[in-house]
Amino acid sequence: MPAVTASAPGKIILFGEHAVVYGRPAIAVPVTQVKARAVVSAAPGSAAGQVLIEAPSIHQQAYLADLAADDPLKKALTLALEHLQISRPPACKVRIGSTIPVAAGLGSGAAVSVALLRAFSAFLGHPLPDEVVNALAFEVEKLHHGTPSGIDNTVITYARPVFFQRREGGNLIETFPSPQPFTVLVADTGVPSPTAAAVGDVRRAWQQDPPRYEALFDRAGELTRAARKAIEAGKPHELGPLMDANHALLQEMGVSSPELERLVQAARAAGALGAKLSGGGRGGNMIALVEADQVEAVSQALLGAGAARAFMTRVEAQG
Ligand code: PMV
């Protein structure tokens, strides 16, 4: 059996994080500069059913059977086996690598799941279609934080910009044309921030004051719709003020942090068209919309303001 490799990109949320958990739309785009990769190869010397998992970047090496039931890698592999109705896979080694920073709002968990599901199912001779990969990756996301919206696994599985809305009886997943490419800088506060904590805090705050939070979510949803219109109309520069407004809402939701504020201010002061935190918040990454000729100045300003790293990604023209 030949070795099989699969990879999946990272992602950023352009608009609507947190509100998306409560049924409002959000827009996310893949980030191809970072990726997770899974390689599955046969282990001819081992007994059937033995699956060795190696994740050198997190110093993990264990047999599937020995991992805890709530381990995300175990969950992904087990879901694939159950879906394919395979109880005893051929002996194999699963190697996982990722250049996506963990707990940074870049979708590292979902990307690892997607790469793993694809490589493992292909190795088993039954490559899973995208819909199934997406659905199983969503199940794994539930381990990372209890109430995921599903946007991470969706944008990462399809590797295209998505307008996403969580809905009873089937999520709305729409791809949409982006006639003008645009440039986004992504900068990391260097502060790890597990999404679960921020999502849990927003839930508690919402439970304490539902009208206030519902109003914040509504406004975030309106900004997301306005952003989609601007992108579709080929006017991505109009996203700048919308990003600033979305950031203000996220501040009000209580998910910004001093480090994020410093980077957002620095980007704006250096000429970014708009800036906001991206993802769960509290730490992790922020994003800034920049003209192509501002990339260098804004990157330098972000690094000067304490960013652990900054990189550029372009949302390419589509359809
Ligand atoms: O994984 P992150 O940090 O990009 O956060 C996901 C975005 C949230 O809206 C905060 C949670 C979710 O499940 O959509």
Side-chain angles (χ1 to χ4, degrees), residues 11 13 17-18 20-21 105-106 145 147-152 195 199 279-280:
K11 71 100 215 331
I13 296 185
E17 51 275 269
H18 287 290
V20 69
V21 175
L106 292 177
H145 67 101
T147 56
S149 63
I151 191 168
D152 275 25
T195 306
V199 169

Side-chain angles (χ1 to χ4, degrees), residues 24-25 215-228 242:
R24 274 53 163 205
L216 291 171
F217 299 150
D218 279 343
R219 280 156 60 202
E222 283 158 23
L223 291 173
T224 300
R225 289 181 209 285
R228 175 173 173 170
L242 298 172

